[in-house]
Amino acid sequence: MSDKIEKTDQEWREQLTPEQYHILRQKGTERPFSGEYWDVKAEGRYVCAACGSVLFESGTKFESGCGWPSFYDALPGTVEMTEDLSHGMRRVEVTCANCGGHLGHVFPDGPKPTGDRYCINSLSMKFIPNET
């Protein structure tokens, strides 16, 4: 992966929509079942909405019933995970390894082969369908 992207708060505000800024830079969360990608089944890649880094392949996406796009694995080296103790909960936050944007959280209740469920905000990503 290339050097990490660093921008000022103002540069992020100018680049992102207010909703994307809230999720990616202020660690917000969209309402369940409201995001653009929670039920997308097309083949393609999911990239970071802030920097364009490829994060997830559609082959790892599954229907978890939680209302957010869910994946059982991220592409190697594309995300970082840190402990999140906000809102009185103990969770693991998932951020883009390239720009530090907040993507969502990962939980240990996913399917095989990893057993993980990456619960990701639609607004933190863009979907790029495979060319046919």
Side-chain angles (χ1 to χ4, degrees), residues 2-128:
S2 62
D3 292 330
K4 289 191 177 197
I5 294 174
E6 293 187 27
K7 295 185 180 189
T8 66
D9 188 60
Q10 185 59 36
E11 288 172 321
W12 286 121
R13 285 184 186 276
E14 290 170 3
Q15 175 186 332
L16 303 168
T17 68
E19 295 84 7
Q20 287 174 319
Y21 179 84
H22 175 66
I23 303 268
L24 286 157
R25 307 317 303 174
Q26 297 179 317
K27 302 181 185 218
T29 301
E30 62 198 10
R31 290 184 335 274
F33 304 103
S34 69
E36 181 177 1
Y37 304 127
W38 74 270
D39 64 347
V40 169
K41 294 176 180 42
E43 292 185 18
R45 300 168 304 180
Y46 291 84
V47 303
C48 178
C51 71
S53 291
V54 180
L55 304 167
F56 302 96
E57 295 284 350
S58 60
T60 64
K61 191 170 188 281
F62 69 99
E63 178 54 52
S64 69
C66 70
W68 290 275
S70 297
F71 305 86
Y72 65 76
D73 207 0
L75 290 168
T78 62
V79 299
E80 294 178 344
M81 292 175 266
T82 56
E83 186 175 44
D84 176 3
L85 300 175
S86 65
H87 306 291
M89 295 181 270
R90 184 179 197 144
R91 303 179 288 179
V92 177
E93 178 186 13
V94 179
T95 57
C96 174
N98 195 40
C99 71
H102 171 78
L103 304 171
H105 293 87
V106 63
F107 302 95
D109 60 1
K112 293 181 180 180
T114 65
D116 290 331
R117 174 175 54 98
Y118 290 80
C119 186
I120 307 297
N121 291 288
S122 288
L123 283 166
S124 69
M125 302 181 294
K126 292 182 182 178
F127 177 67
I128 301 174

